[in-house]
Amino acid sequence: THRYAKAFMDLAMQNNVVDKCLDDLLLVKTTIEANEELRTLIYQPFVSKEHKINILTRLFKDRTESIIIDLLRLLIEKNRDEIITEIYDEYHELYLEYKKIAVVTVTSAVCLDEKTTNRIINIIRNKIVGKDSIEIKNIVDKKIIGGFIVKYKDYEYDASVRNTLKRLQSSFEGNLYVKKY
């Protein structure tokens, strides 16, 4: 999947349609995932390649860049129908690298407001080198009780109340002796 997405990204860069292709690939993915009949048709091995190509061409020709149709045709001809909807995810990762955008996941007990989001961005901005902008993906998880957990690639900073309580619990469990005065 990555190999196809990388080659497609190079082609999109040559044609100056990197942003448009991201939108187009998302359209292809959501259309296929939302339509069970179309999904079944594309993934059936007994349906001819020509029939699949004709249907996808008719469906997306006027709504997407021509290189999207070329990509769909290539994937079907190479018997890689099953990765059509996965290409978007790979392309999106390459797109973020190309645009130097860091996507940071922040898990919090409540939805973050704009002020809090901006404060978190300012705090982590100097930790992330080589990126022009930072996007926050907020996940709400009431189990963390309060605070937040920041994740970026392999880095994780856990400032949740749940984590603090766990540390306190393990601290108390390790210290059985209580000095009396």
Side-chain angles (χ1 to χ4, degrees):
T1 308
H2 183 76
R3 191 175 61 204
Y4 286 101
K6 176 74 174 102
F8 185 71
M9 171 62 93
D10 292 341
L11 186 62
M13 288 167 54
Q14 289 170 10
N15 288 292
N16 293 320
V17 289
V18 174
D19 294 328
K20 177 75 169 91
C21 284
L22 181 69
D23 296 338
D24 290 352
L25 285 172
L26 181 59
L27 174 69
V28 170
K29 177 182 177 160
T30 55
T31 302
I32 292 171
E33 288 178 346
N35 189 323
E36 189 174 339
E37 273 183 50
L38 179 61
R39 200 171 49 248
T40 302
L41 179 93
I42 290 171
Y43 298 140
Q44 289 302 323
F46 58 82
V47 176
S48 74
K49 292 177 183 180
E50 293 78 24
H51 187 62
K52 292 177 185 181
I53 292 169
N54 287 337
I55 287 175
L56 290 175
T57 301
R58 279 190 278 142
L59 191 58
F60 296 112
K61 186 175 96 177
D62 297 329
R63 300 165 63 194
T64 62
E65 292 290 325
S66 62
I67 62 174
I68 296 288
I69 303 302
D70 296 339
L71 173 67
L72 296 173
R73 181 179 292 114
L74 175 72
L75 292 174
I76 290 170
E77 287 173 355
K78 297 285 186 184
N79 296 318
R80 301 291 295 176
D81 321 18
E82 76 280 356
I83 68 166
I84 288 174
T85 55
E86 297 170 18
I87 288 287
Y88 169 79
D89 298 325
E90 289 287 336
Y91 184 86
H92 187 249
E93 289 297 317
L94 294 169
Y95 176 85
L96 293 173
E97 284 297 317
Y98 173 72
K99 293 287 189 171
K100 296 183 179 179
I101 300 170
V103 177
V104 177
T105 304
V106 178
T107 306
S108 57
V110 295
C111 191
L112 298 177
D113 60 10
E114 188 176 342
K115 183 179 177 183
T116 307
T117 301
N118 289 335
R119 286 180 62 206
I120 291 171
I121 288 173
N122 289 332
I123 291 168
I124 61 176
R125 185 175 305 277
N126 62 352
K127 304 280 187 210
I128 299 174
V129 180
K131 300 293 181 184
D132 292 341
S133 64
I134 298 170
E135 288 182 10
I136 299 290
K137 178 182 173 187
N138 186 211
I139 298 173
V140 177
D141 181 3
K142 297 196 183 305
K143 293 177 191 168
I144 71 167
I145 304 169
F148 57 88
I149 303 168
V150 176
K151 290 183 186 176
Y152 174 68
K153 293 188 177 182
D154 294 337
Y155 173 78
E156 180 177 309
Y157 177 74
D158 192 339
S160 66
V161 173
R162 179 180 65 189
N163 187 47
T164 305
L165 291 173
K166 280 183 185 177
R167 284 196 318 259
L168 283 172
Q169 182 181 8
S170 66
S171 173
F172 286 132
E173 288 173 357
N175 184 8
L176 299 176
Y177 176 73
V178 177
K179 188 176 180 181
K180 292 187 179 183
Y181 293 99

